[in-house]
Structures are given as C-alpha cells and as structure tokens.
Amino acid sequence: VQLQASGGGLVQAGGSLRLSCAASGRTFSGYVVGWFRQTPGKEREFVAGIKWNSRNTYYADSVKGRFTISRVSAENTVHLQMNSLRPEDTAVYHCAASRTIIQSSIGVPSAYNYWGQGTQVTVSS
C-alpha cells in the first residue's frame, strides 16, 4: 500500500489544521493507521492511531483533547484534525500503516510496514 500525506502548513498558535493520509494500491481495511511526528535531532514520536475496522482510536497524552483521528471509508483516507495548536506541535508529520501490528505496539514506529512522505506543520507563537 502506498500512503500520501497532505494538509500541513503554517498556522498561528491556537489555530487548526487537518492532515490527511490517503492510501492507494489497496484499501485500509484490516490496517492500523498511525500518525507520527519528528523534529530535527529527535526520535519519531507517536501522535495518534486508528484501527480501520473497529474505529478504535489511540492518542499520545500530549495531544489528547486537541487532536482527533478519524477515517473516511469512501475516500480510503485517515484524517488528523489538529485544534488548539501549540508551537511545540511543530514537526514533520508522517502517516504509517500496518496489518500485523498488535495493540501494545501501536505507538511504536518500527511496528509499521508502510510509511508516507512527511508533511510539515509549523505553528508560530
């Protein structure tokens, strides 16, 4: 499966952005789709994940209550709605997918088989 991430940009603190992760080649059915972010010199950090079939969602503590992950079956796309953005949310955001991941590894980058290119999110203060 090929992943295409989009929706990044520059926004002021307190603003909102919506990222999208579209799949091509096959559907997301049976997959877990995750969003990760990375800043220079730091490890890739889990942001949110969703089980496509059950719609169960998972969030990092740092984004709970501000970010919402969802999926649109007809679009074969996962969205990440980011509200109340903070300067510390600035990063390159990547989406990833896996069919074989176990629940305890949803936040682990190495557990994902497929990665999209990153999309830059910059939050100004």
Side-chain angles (χ1 to χ4, degrees), residues 4-79:
Q4 179 72 38
S6 61
L10 172 64
V11 64
Q12 289 187 332
S16 299
L17 282 173
R18 188 178 80 158
L19 305 184
S20 299
C21 179
S24 61
R26 63 185 305 164
T27 71
F28 272 137
S29 179
Y31 281 78
V32 171
V33 180
W35 282 97
F36 293 80
R37 62 189 182 188
Q38 191 168 23
T39 54
K42 292 188 176 181
E43 293 185 355
R44 199 161 288 189
E45 174 191 25
F46 172 74
V47 176
I50 185 168
K51 289 186 177 179
W52 184 268
N53 289 8
S54 68
R55 301 191 185 194
N56 288 349
T57 56
Y58 308 86
Y59 296 94
D61 288 342
S62 59
V63 307
K64 280 181 182 177
R66 299 188 298 124
F67 291 11
T68 302
I69 189 170
S70 62
R71 58 92 155 165
V72 179
S73 180
E75 298 174 359
N76 203 35
T77 298
V78 170
H79 297 293

Side-chain angles (χ1 to χ4, degrees), residues 94-113:
H94 300 265
C95 64
S98 174
R99 281 184 64 92
T100 59
I101 196 168
I102 60 175
Q103 184 164 319
S104 60
S105 296
I106 286 177
V108 179
S110 61
Y112 289 79
N113 307 108

